[in-house]
Amino acid sequence: MENPFAEGENRVLRPPSTVLVIFGASGDLTKRKLVPSLYSLAKDDFLPSNFVVLGASRSEFSDQSFREAMLESCKAHSRSKVTEEQWKSFSENIFYQVLDGTKEEDFAKLHERLEQLDREREENFNYVFYFATAPRYFAKIAKNLRKQGLIQPYGTGTRRASVVVEKPFGQDLASARELNADLRAELAEEQIYRIDHFLGKETVQNILAFRFANGIFEPLWNSKFIDNIQISFSEDIGVEQRASYFDQNGILRDVVQNHLLQMLSLICIEPPLSLSNADSIRDEKVKVLKSIRRVGIEDAPSMSVRAQYSDGYINGKPVQGYLKEDGIPKKSSTETYVALRLAIDNWRWEGVPIYLRAGKRLPKRITEISIYFKRPPDMLFQGRQVGQLHRNVLAIQVQPNEGISLRINSKPPGPRMRARPVVMDFSYGESFGIPSPGAYERLLLDAMKGDATLFTRDDEIEEAWGVLAPIFNAWDSEKSPPVFSYESGSWGPKESSMLLASEGKFWREL
Amino acid sequence: MKAEYSYVETEPSDLSAALRGALSLEGLSSLYTDAVSSNVLIPVCSKESLESSQRLLDALTSVSPSRYFLVLIDNDEKEVRTEIAAHCRFDSDSESGCAALIRITCPESKFSAVPSILRANFFTGVEQQLFLLDNKVPANIVRELFSLSESVVVDSSQFEVNKELLGEIVVRFNQVVDLQWVALSSWRDAIRNMFAMPQVGDLLRGLESVTVVAGSSHSFASRLIAGWVVSKLSVELPKNCIFINSSTGKPVEVVFKADSKSANMSIVEITFDFGGNKKAKIGLKGQSMLETQIELEEVTRTCAPYRDSTQSEALRRYFTIGDSNANYAAALKVALELQQNS
């Protein structure tokens, strides 16, 4: 039976009492993102009134030593300043359990611990199980949880239990399907929350508000007025500590399959039936992904460019090329840069090229969605000296400085009819007077509330893999296209510019 | 108004953050981000150019809120050094503007590190303009900066010894502003106005020669104005300073003279000789007037105000009034030909 008290209550601020169990709690994600985010939520008073974090991993920690480690993490990584008083009340809810995710008997101990917490706190906690581990452990951990009765079949029992999993969701379409099937063998889809942290960013969420809360943009949001869409993900860092993981995956798997295709689907979706129903939005996103043209393996090389960074400079400092990095095989062909040209075959987007690019060791860290509008008819300006009429560009900057800008042409003061580009902009940092929460803060809160809107569904994952499958197949084939080279600190290989130049377009200068 | 800049040395990785901080101190960071219209690159290589580029910045920051990158090639430096400065001005309650300056100093041997600093700190979404006003900047560095730029502001009189680079600029860039061309706008206006008079326009059929007198240190200005005249009257390039008047098929000679008494002035006088004692002449009267003199049966004179432009003034004029660039490429092509043969 649907909860009659949930109707219309779409602005629940505080989730019900929850225990967040983090598997793999000794890892980097917990230290850098999860616990610091929880601390900020606690400081802003968004956490449930009764809330517990239970870290679990094979590493030997006590409750106290784990709390001390998390204190250092929060000091280093939380956006909120750590105060003694706040930390004291927050840390009283942090516990630790030594646990091997592959050992069934360890889950019995986990079960006892959770029951003990129920008794001590006089609560009937909901559970959120966060799998901050390698994907190969997901199915085993889920199975062990179910066997212990810590996860009940969806819609039954007296408490809600859900599982949060991190990317990568498989290596390709086949492995993604397998992973989904393994999880679905133990859990209902409604109990699985797949995180893509980009969906937790304010600017990404703002795409829907921007499109559908303003009457002026949606009528232009189609192939009649839009010339091309570009999504750029640029990092100035190299592989850092992730050499082994990165070399096995490459940037196409690491960020394009998830972050970029998620942003693309939000930019291109039809208006959903509801903004407060998770499946309404996810249904529309899946439609976009299904509409992206699937190309044959023989066409993939002409719509994609891959490259590796070579020696160069980042902000004036010399850096070495990818093949010289520690932990990278000398003959690796893993791409650190990729550019794609996609097409969406539907009424709204027919004929509008979509360009995606992602790369490491590019000049700066920036992620931006750039929407280029078509040039207006210029007959009014023919014969006049107006300078070069620039296309209007709507730019949604996702990081580092979240905000939206619109480039228009305007006449500068003076006696001549001239047009120069100017930028109208809105910045999150300056417009609202309150700091933006971190992406993980929003996502953790939603997981505790049971709101799956900002999490990806199984069919989204599989459709995204399906879009990229021909490219992976082409790259793995006997006639695989070359891996080009680009100097660190440049904007990528010249072949990437040629991908757009062949259609009279060019990458936006970031 | 002379602006005051206090440069602060900053690590390259901290430039943008330091600029925001500096502008916050001025209390106007949001005004700056709303108004930035371009990234401006100014490479300089000599002390004289550094001083003139500072004057240039004074002029520019008052008319164009941009992020300025002054790239100073100094072989006395051993490493790449970066500094920032911010400057805001208040003209009235509703008019004010900010400019951010990043100064990068390096020896020529270390220049390869500079493009990465530039790319990392370009203000996103606005165009990159290269101000090429110092002919001592090595050509390889200029070409590297070409690849980072979408438009060029150049002073062609500085590059008459490097015609190849000038020619490259015109081919490579859609948008070229030549300050020499802007500085000649009064002369072009005067010539246009003179030939707008029907009795004078009819005389073009009998044109026999065009004589341009320029200050002795401004030979390229004379080639450029002559190049414009020739490109308007002929479809072919001149040979040995003789061009064919397209409407009559008759040859016309272009003569260049230097006036040593007016060494610092640009153009001093332009004379159109129509034969049979018929002439039309435009010349400086004093230093602040252009006089048009038409010698037919009678002599007719008109005057218009004139000011010989420095680089800064030409730039200020360009940004506040603008100029027509439609004929520049053709004029330059002819000018380079005349330069070679005169």
Side-chain angles (χ1 to χ4, degrees):
Chain A
M1 176 186 165
E2 292 280 343
N3 181 355
F5 298 103
E7 176 65 29
E9 294 295 318
N10 60 352
R11 294 183 65 80
V12 173
L13 291 179
R14 199 189 293 279
S17 300
T18 301
V19 173
L20 173 68
V21 180
I22 305 175
F23 297 100
S26 59
D28 219 42
L29 183 68
T30 305
K31 280 188 274 204
R32 290 169 60 85
K33 295 291 181 193
L34 299 183
V35 175
S37 299
L38 290 168
Y39 175 79
S40 293
L41 285 171
K43 197 148 192 256
D44 294 341
D45 199 25
F46 282 129
L47 286 181
S49 48
N50 214 340
F51 174 74
V52 166
V53 179
L54 179 64
S57 81
R58 284 180 292 194
S59 301
E60 292 287 337
F61 280 102
S62 63
D63 289 346
Q64 186 55 32
S65 60
F66 186 65
R67 285 172 190 162
E68 284 163 8
M70 291 303 103
L71 172 60
E72 294 312 309
S73 297
C74 289
K75 282 179 182 172
H77 301 293
S78 178
R79 69 169 173 87
S80 307
K81 193 172 170 216
V82 177
T83 62
E84 197 178 317
E85 190 188 337
Q86 188 70 49
W87 179 256
K88 185 171 180 307
S89 71
F90 177 65
S91 61
E92 283 167 359
N93 301 307
I94 298 177
F95 301 92
Y96 187 81
Q97 176 94 8
V98 177
L99 181 144
D100 183 331
T102 61
K103 289 185 179 168
E104 216 174 301
E105 58 272 27
D106 282 6
F107 283 79
K109 292 177 191 166
L110 176 65
H111 195 169
E112 283 168 22
R113 189 78 187 266
L114 291 172
E115 283 181 335
Q116 181 188 356
L117 282 165
D118 267 0
R119 285 193 300 273
E120 286 171 1
R121 301 286 178 112
E122 294 178 348
E123 263 295 353
N124 185 42
F125 283 107
N126 284 342
Y127 298 142
V128 173
F129 298 105
Y130 202 112
F131 292 6
T133 67
R136 64 180 179 274
Y137 298 117
F138 288 179
K140 191 75 180 162
I141 295 172
K143 188 173 193 151
N144 286 330
L145 286 170
R146 190 180 54 71
K147 278 186 173 179
Q148 283 295 320
L150 290 170
I151 296 182
Q152 301 279 336
Y154 179 69
T156 68
T158 57
R159 68 177 96 232
R160 189 171 66 237
S162 48
V163 157
V164 180
V165 295
E166 275 273 350
K167 74 173 183 82
F169 307 116
Q171 294 282 307
D172 50 30
L173 182 55
S175 57
R177 281 179 175 154
E178 195 181 324
L179 184 60
N180 277 332
D182 287 346
L183 283 173
R184 292 290 301 276
E186 314 297 338
L187 306 157
E189 177 62 29
E190 291 83 355
Q191 295 170 304
I192 305 171
Y193 291 70
R194 298 175 192 77
I195 272 199
D196 180 335
H197 73 271
F198 262 58
L199 296 179
K201 290 181 178 289
E202 286 293 339
T203 326
V204 175
Q205 296 166 47
N206 194 28
I207 292 171
L208 296 181
F210 181 79
R211 283 186 62 188
F212 303 124
N214 294 293
I216 57 174
F217 295 109
E218 197 56 23
L220 307 179
W221 215 258
N222 54 64
S223 58
K224 193 169 175 208
F225 296 99
I226 290 178
D227 181 80
N228 70 90
I229 297 174
Q230 300 178 16
I231 303 180
S232 303
F233 176 99
S234 166
E235 289 184 322
D236 54 1
I237 57 173
V239 291
E240 310 276 281
Q241 316 304 324
R242 299 168 75 227
S244 170
Y245 165 82
F246 186 85
D247 196 60
Q248 288 170 34
N249 287 283
I251 204 157
L252 189 63
R253 283 188 178 87
D254 194 29
V255 301
V256 176
Q257 186 272 336
N258 35 72
H259 304 331
L260 270 66
L261 286 180
Q262 282 292 318
M263 288 191 280
L264 175 61
S265 58
L266 285 173
I267 283 290
C268 295
I269 59 170
E270 298 300 321
L273 289 174
S274 162
L275 285 177
S276 52
N277 179 290
D279 279 331
S280 289
I281 296 172
R282 299 197 291 185
D283 286 346
E284 297 303 330
K285 285 162 69 184
V286 168
K287 276 195 222 167
V288 172
L289 293 169
K290 281 182 187 290
S291 302
I292 297 176
R293 187 180 303 160
R294 299 329 193 226
V295 299
I297 188 174
E298 66 285 352
D299 295 319
S302 64
M303 48 157 292
S304 63
V305 170
R306 57 175 174 165
Q308 277 179 356
Y309 60 82
S310 61
D311 296 350
Y313 294 88
I314 295 293
N315 252 321
K317 297 260 182 314
V319 294
Q320 59 187 8
Y322 180 68
L323 296 179
K324 295 178 186 171
E325 300 264 33
D326 289 339
I328 300 297
K330 295 287 175 263
K331 292 190 178 175
S332 170
S333 61
T334 300
E335 79 289 355
T336 62
Y337 176 97
V338 69
L340 304 178
R341 182 180 65 239
L342 302 177
I344 297 179
D345 291 329
N346 64 18
W347 277 78
R348 187 187 282 265
W349 298 114
E350 173 75 21
V352 179
I354 316 279
Y355 302 107
L356 310 183
R357 61 175 163 170
K360 288 188 170 292
R361 285 283 190 230
L362 298 180
K364 58 169 97 162
R365 175 176 174 261
I366 183 169
T367 299
E368 188 185 90
I369 304 165
S370 322
I371 297 166
Y372 278 75
F373 290 86
K374 292 187 170 165
R375 285 189 204 283
D378 65 355
M379 72 277 287
L380 287 177
F381 297 98
Q382 282 174 5
R384 283 179 177 273
Q385 178 45 241
V386 293
Q388 192 173 0
L389 279 183
H390 290 251
R391 287 184 199 277
N392 301 128
V393 180
L394 180 74
I396 300 171
Q397 196 171 120
V398 175
Q399 60 185 14
N401 302 314
E402 297 182 75
I404 299 176
S405 69
L406 177 65
R407 186 174 77 184
I408 60 172
N409 292 299
S410 184
K411 178 187 175 297
R416 286 180 174 269
M417 174 54 77
R418 299 181 292 164
R420 273 169 49 189
V422 293
V423 176
M424 299 163 60
D425 81 348
F426 142 73
S427 162
Y428 264 96
E430 286 160 16
S431 296
F432 291 112
I434 49 174
S436 291
Y440 275 92
E441 292 173 44
R442 173 67 194 266
L443 294 170
L444 285 167
L445 210 56
D446 279 6
M448 288 187 257
K449 285 192 278 181
D451 182 349
T453 307
L454 299 181
F455 296 85
T456 48
R457 210 165 63 187
D458 54 356
D459 51 354
E460 282 182 75
I461 301 288
E462 289 172 22
E463 290 299 332
W465 281 117
V467 168
L468 301 181
I471 300 171
F472 287 121
N473 292 339
W475 289 359
D476 290 339
S477 70
E478 282 177 4
K479 293 183 189 174
S480 62
V483 180
F484 298 106
S485 179
Y486 62 99
E487 192 182 308
S488 293
S490 70
W491 280 111
K494 64 177 189 302
E495 289 79 8
S496 168
S497 300
M498 283 154 53
L499 190 68
L500 278 69
S502 61
E503 294 178 321
K505 322 284 184 209
F506 49 89
W507 287 114
R508 178 162 146 93
E509 286 290 336
L510 297 175
Chain B
M1 183 177 79
K2 189 178 186 314
E4 298 292 334
Y5 308 108
S6 300
Y7 282 100
V8 174
E9 189 149 351
T10 312
E11 279 297 311
S13 54
D14 295 334
L15 288 173
S16 294
L19 273 175
R20 278 196 297 276
L23 286 160
S24 295
L25 285 176
E26 297 251 8
L28 288 166
S29 59
S30 65
L31 183 73
Y32 167 71
T33 56
D34 286 347
V36 166
S37 61
S38 57
N39 295 297
V40 176
L41 295 175
I42 308 175
V44 297
C45 204
S46 62
K47 199 172 172 210
E48 297 78 23
S49 293
L50 183 59
E51 285 165 8
S52 66
S53 66
Q54 197 55 57
R55 287 195 294 277
L56 182 71
L57 279 172
D58 291 347
L60 281 173
T61 53
S62 66
V63 296
S64 179
S66 298
R67 183 170 281 192
Y68 295 89
F69 297 81
L70 190 61
V71 180
L72 172 57
I73 309 298
D74 183 351
N75 288 325
D76 290 336
E77 291 280 335
K78 298 216 172 0
E79 297 296 333
V80 178
R81 198 158 55 86
T82 47
E83 302 162 281
I84 58 129
H87 174 66
C88 297
R89 58 175 179 84
F90 303 88
D91 297 325
S92 69
D93 285 346
S94 58
E95 291 176 11
S96 43
C98 286
L101 301 107
I102 296 176
R103 185 163 70 185
I104 305 170
T105 311
C106 71
E108 190 177 341
S109 59
K110 300 272 182 174
F111 178 78
S112 52
V114 172
S116 66
I117 300 173
L118 295 171
R119 287 191 200 100
N121 291 286
F122 281 150
F123 203 83
T124 299
V126 296
E127 68 168 2
Q128 278 75 260
Q129 280 186 309
L130 174 63
F131 279 59
L132 203 51
L133 306 173
D134 179 358
N135 61 5
K136 295 191 177 54
V137 178
N140 60 313
I141 288 178
V142 171
R143 290 192 172 96
E144 183 76 46
L145 294 174
F146 280 174
S147 67
L148 298 174
S149 311
E150 292 163 61
S151 64
V152 174
V153 175
V154 67
D155 183 346
S156 57
S157 66
Q158 296 285 316
F159 286 87
E160 51 184 299
V161 295
N162 192 342
K163 294 188 288 290
E164 194 185 312
L165 202 60
L166 262 186
E168 222 174 293
I169 288 171
V170 173
V171 166
R172 192 175 172 135
F173 291 93
N174 284 336
Q175 278 189 283
V176 180
V177 176
D178 183 349
L179 296 184
Q180 196 59 231
W181 176 258
V182 175
L184 292 174
S185 59
S186 298
W187 290 93
R188 301 198 322 267
D189 285 348
I191 293 171
R192 187 190 68 230
N193 291 339
M194 185 173 73
F195 285 103
M197 291 186 266
Q199 70 207 100
V200 184
D202 288 344
L203 291 172
L204 274 172
R205 289 181 174 279
L207 185 65
E208 294 182 353
S209 70
V210 179
T211 302
V212 184
V213 181
S216 52
S217 57
H218 286 267
S219 65
F220 197 76
S222 60
R223 272 54 174 185
L224 194 54
I225 193 71
W228 176 66
V229 168
V230 172
S231 67
K232 286 297 183 185
L233 297 176
S234 177
V235 295
E236 297 165 16
L237 284 176
K239 289 189 176 67
N240 299 321
C241 294
I242 294 176
F243 70 92
I244 304 298
N245 188 338
S246 296
S247 58
T248 60
K250 289 186 184 162
V252 181
E253 188 183 8
V254 183
V255 179
F256 295 102
K257 292 181 180 173
D259 182 349
S260 57
K261 288 190 288 233
S262 309
N264 292 326
M265 298 302 285
S266 167
I267 309 297
V268 177
E269 187 179 273
I270 304 174
T271 304
F272 295 81
D273 192 332
F274 306 105
N277 293 324
K278 292 179 186 161
K279 285 183 187 171
K281 189 182 342 183
I282 302 168
L284 282 175
K285 189 175 176 185
Q287 294 200 1
S288 59
M289 297 294 277
L290 269 186
E291 184 184 67
T292 302
Q293 185 172 302
I294 300 163
E295 297 173 14
L296 303 174
E297 287 82 25
E298 296 174 348
V299 175
T300 314
R301 291 187 178 85
T302 54
C303 284
Y306 172 77
R307 204 162 99 171
D308 203 35
S309 295
T310 60
Q311 271 185 0
S312 305
E313 284 161 356
L315 256 176
R316 192 187 294 271
R317 181 195 161 89
Y318 176 73
F319 277 103
T320 53
I321 299 175
D323 196 6
S324 175
N325 235 28
N327 301 311
Y328 173 69
L332 180 68
K333 196 172 172 185
V334 175
L336 291 172
E337 191 70 28
L338 289 169
Q339 175 83 342
Q340 202 166 325
N341 291 317
S342 61

